[in-house]
Each structure stands twice: as structure tokens, then as C-alpha cells.
Amino acid sequence: MWRKAAAACLVAAPIALTVATGVDPALGDDQGYGIYRQHPGAVQAHSILLHWAWVLFVPGLLGLLTPIRRRGAVLARVAWICVIAGLTTFSALMANDFFLLALEQNLPDARVQAVDERFLAMSVTVAGWQWPGLIGWGLSLILTPIAAARGRVIDWWTAGAALLGTALYLAFAISPVPLCLLGPIVLIGAYGAAARRLVRPAAGPSAEPDDFGIFRRRFGLFSLYAAPALFALGMATVPDWSGEVADSVAKPVQTQISALFLHLAWVFFVPAVLTVATGANRFTRVAAGVTVLALVNFSGLMLGDSADLAARQVLDTATADRVAETLGGYAAFTFGWAIPSMVFTLLGLIAVAVGAAVSRTTRWWTAALVVAGVVAFLGLGLGPIGVTGPLLLLAGFGLMARDLARPPAATPAPAVPTPA
């Protein structure tokens, strides 16, 4: 099932990238402020499709790395981390397009530039989002096909085509149509071939020791502790416990740090969920797949805290509120990104925990702690009491990690009847 789902993502992701690139209104030499204002529909279509392209690449590339065992394992480890931490973060940066559109529809170009420059000058946001996102995105697209070819998951021709498509996309992403479509079209062919090889491997199971599988399991077990711990840190450092946005503006560094902790929490839940689903029943595996997509989407919404902070540092309260209302009114953003990501993330964490209990990989009261944590997060609000939900999740997923780390119980050998 995992191979088929990853293959579907490998096919869908470059197709979404191709369409997103083709409808981008800011192609060619016209890259200044004001172009989004002239094409609001095209901007929304481009941004949501581009975001979903990178979101779909996450499970697709992870699936391409999964069959690797010892051969190519070193590269696969680096690529695995880059996909989870870097490519996921990069997909979040597409939210800035929606933010710029909301600014341009409410402000003159000079004020838009002032807010955008303030946003780009936020040191924590730049170091915690932009740099890891850009670096991880580039390394993911370069190292993953090389590692997969080295591990004999795909052939070197397919890997070369993927690298060629990536190079063409980097070189011509903002060039006029049809030049900008060269890279995405090559990527469709390359990753289509990789998807076919993934579901129809040329050889049987490898006899190599599964070094990369051991790494993934250890990383996943660590993430079961790290994700809810980061969640608790994010909630503990939220400055606006009272719900007043003035508190966020008064403590800009703390606002950015809190948003970064929350983003990383949802990022680390990706390998955590995948680890819980390994060896579980079909329901748990399906729930984990949906949850992974939701988590990648949900993590990106934390960037909105920094964007809103930049607007409020430059604009008066009424204007900043109007920009926020405009952003929330974009159907593509609200229904194609924000609402589904939150709903399926929280329901997905519950479903995966319950599925693990049904599969007997963990105990029912451990799953009950996860359910209680999600309910507490939704019901208790901000402030010191808001840390209760993440701490319950830490207890639930921490105990689940302990259960998963235990070696399976040995099956007793059948008794040999003694001769009379």
C-alpha cells in the first residue's frame, strides 16, 4: 500500500507543479509589487497548486527512499531528513504569496514593500524557515534520486532525468511560457518512471541488512518524544495568552520562536506517525497517510504568525485587521489549505493512536491519553493551562514509543510429545 500511495504522489506532484508554473502571473520581467493585485484569481490558483505540489513530493520522495537498505543508505539518511524538515518547511513558504496578495489588495505598493521587507528582516523566521526550507528543498530534489539509484530502487537514467528536470526548473521557473514548463514536464516523465519502478520493482527483496530501515525506525521513535515536546514548548512560549494581538507585537522574538516550535512539532509528527503505522493494520496505515499530508499542510500555517506580526509592526491596527480578514476570505487558502489541515491533523493523530491500539502495538489507555491531549488542546485555550494538551500527548506518544521499542514477544515453541 505504501508503495502505491508514494507512486501516486510522485505522479501527481510534478503535474501540479507544471500547472502551477503555467498559471503563474508573475513570469518574465514583471516581478515587481502590484502584479498580484492585477491577477488575484491566478495568484491563488498558482500558490495553492505550487504548495500542494511540494506537499505531495514529501510522501512521494519518502516512498522512493524507503526501499533502500544498505547500499545508498548514507545518502538516504541525509535526503530523508531534508525531505521531512526542509521540503516540508519549503512548502509553507507558499503562504507568503497569499499574504502578499492580501497586502496588495488593501495597500499601495510602497506600503506593501515596507511590510514585506519587515517580514524578510525577521531573523528567527529567516533562519528557522527560509534557510532550512530553501536548502532542504534543493537537497531533497538532488539527493533523493541519487540515493534511490545508488540503492537500485530506480535506474541511473531515471535519476539523471529527475536531476535534469530539477536543473531546468531552477533555471527557468520564472521565464515566460513555454520555457518555464520544460523542467516540470521533464520531472513528470522522470518521476512517472520512478513511480512505475516503485510499484513494479525489477528485483525481489534484497538480502542486504536494512541499515536505512534501522535509521528510520530510530528517527521515528525519537520523533514520538520530540514532536509533542516541541508542541509543549510552542504553547508555553506563546506571548498572547490573553488573546490580545498587542502582546505578540510587544514580544516579536518570542512570537517567532513560539511559531517555529509549533511548526517543528507538526514536522516531527510526520516520522512519528509513519513509525506508529509500520506493521499496523490497514486502517492505521490509511489514517497515517492522510495525517502525513495534513501535518505537512498544518505546519505551514505557523508562518502566518510571523507574517501577521510584520503587518502589525508596520501598519495601524485597523489596517492590519483588514489585511488579516482579506487573507481569511480567500477560498483557496481557507478550504484548500487551512481548515482541512487542522481538522485532519487532529483527527488523524487520534485515528492513528486508536488504530495502533486495535493492532495491539500499543495499549488502549495510551491511545486514550492521545485523545485526551487533542481534546485538551482544543478546549483549554492559551496560557499555562494550554500546555496540558501537549503534555498529555507527550505522555501518550512517549508510552507508545516505549511499546514500539520493545522486541516482539517470542512465540513459544510447540511442545514435543514424549514417547510413551
Side-chain angles (χ1 to χ4, degrees):
M1 189 196 81
W2 290 118
R3 286 176 177 263
K4 291 180 180 179
C9 291
L10 285 175
V11 171
I15 292 175
L17 180 62
T18 303
V19 179
T21 304
V23 300
D24 186 358
L27 295 174
D29 297 329
D30 195 357
Q31 299 292 318
Y33 294 104
I35 187 67
Y36 284 11
R37 186 188 300 114
Q38 301 171 30
H39 307 279
V43 169
Q44 294 181 62
H46 162 72
S47 300
I48 196 65
L49 284 168
L50 190 59
H51 164 73
W52 268 101
W54 304 125
V55 167
L56 290 169
F57 263 120
V58 171
L61 296 181
L62 291 180
L64 198 57
L65 292 169
T66 298
I68 295 173
R69 296 176 69 86
R70 170 167 288 179
R71 187 182 176 91
V74 175
L75 276 178
R77 292 187 186 102
V78 179
W80 180 268
I81 294 173
C82 287
V83 172
I84 289 175
L87 188 55
T88 296
T89 301
F90 184 74
S91 72
L93 299 178
M94 307 308 114
N96 194 46
D97 288 347
F98 287 98
F99 177 60
L100 282 174
L101 175 60
L103 289 173
E104 290 193 5
Q105 290 190 314
N106 287 279
L107 302 169
D109 291 348
R111 299 294 283 167
V112 173
Q113 183 176 359
V115 176
D116 191 34
E117 289 177 350
R118 178 63 61 88
F119 175 73
L120 295 175
M122 291 180 168
S123 56
V124 175
T125 300
V126 170
W129 294 75
Q130 190 174 33
W131 294 349
L134 289 170
I135 294 171
W137 166 70
L139 289 177
S140 296
L141 295 177
I142 294 171
L143 295 182
T144 300
I146 295 176
R150 171 70 176 159
R152 296 174 179 171
V153 180
I154 59 176
D155 57 49
W156 283 104
W157 289 106
T158 302
L163 294 174
L164 174 61
T166 298
L168 290 172
Y169 178 72
L170 290 172
F172 302 116
I174 59 174
S175 299
V177 176
L179 193 59
C180 62
L181 300 179
L182 290 178
I185 289 174
V186 173
L187 288 174
I188 290 175
Y191 283 111
R196 182 177 180 180
R197 183 71 176 268
L198 196 59
V199 295
R200 296 178 181 177
S206 173
E208 289 181 331
D210 195 2
D211 294 351
F212 182 51
I214 294 172
F215 164 80
R216 296 198 316 273
R217 181 171 177 78
R218 290 175 177 172
F219 194 98
L221 292 174
F222 166 76
S223 298
L224 283 165
Y225 295 102
L230 287 165
F231 188 14
L233 285 172
M235 293 297 291
T237 53
V238 170
D240 52 339
W241 285 356
S242 63
E244 297 292 333
V245 293
D247 295 333
S248 296
V249 178
K251 300 176 180 178
V253 175
Q254 186 176 337
T255 298
Q256 296 175 67
I257 290 174
S258 174
L260 183 58
F261 277 142
L262 292 172
H263 163 71
L264 291 174
W266 305 121
V267 168
F268 273 91
F269 265 121
V270 171
V273 164
L274 291 174
T275 300
V276 173
T278 302
N281 57 27
R282 186 178 182 84
F283 168 81
T284 309
R285 296 197 302 270
V286 172
V290 174
T291 306
V292 164
L293 290 176
L295 284 164
V296 176
N297 276 278
F298 193 39
S299 68
L301 296 179
M302 308 305 117
L303 186 63
D305 292 351
S306 296
D308 185 67
L309 173 62
R312 296 184 184 280
Q313 286 181 325
V314 175
L315 309 173
D316 60 85
T317 302
T319 305
D321 286 343
R322 191 166 68 248
V323 171
E325 290 173 1
T326 301
L327 178 61
Y330 296 140
F333 181 75
T334 301
F335 298 106
W337 187 339
I339 292 178
S341 65
M342 182 174 184
V343 170
F344 286 106
T345 288
L346 299 178
L347 289 179
L349 292 178
I350 292 174
V352 169
V354 171
V358 172
S359 299
R360 297 184 179 180
T361 56
T362 192
R363 291 155 292 178
W364 276 105
W365 64 276
T366 302
L369 285 172
V370 174
V371 176
V374 172
V375 173
F377 167 63
L378 293 173
L380 295 180
L382 302 176
I385 197 172
V387 183
T388 304
L391 291 179
L392 287 170
L393 289 175
L394 178 58
F397 282 111
L399 290 170
M400 201 177 299
R402 190 182 67 174
D403 291 339
L404 290 169
R406 290 174 177 166
T411 303
V416 179
T418 57

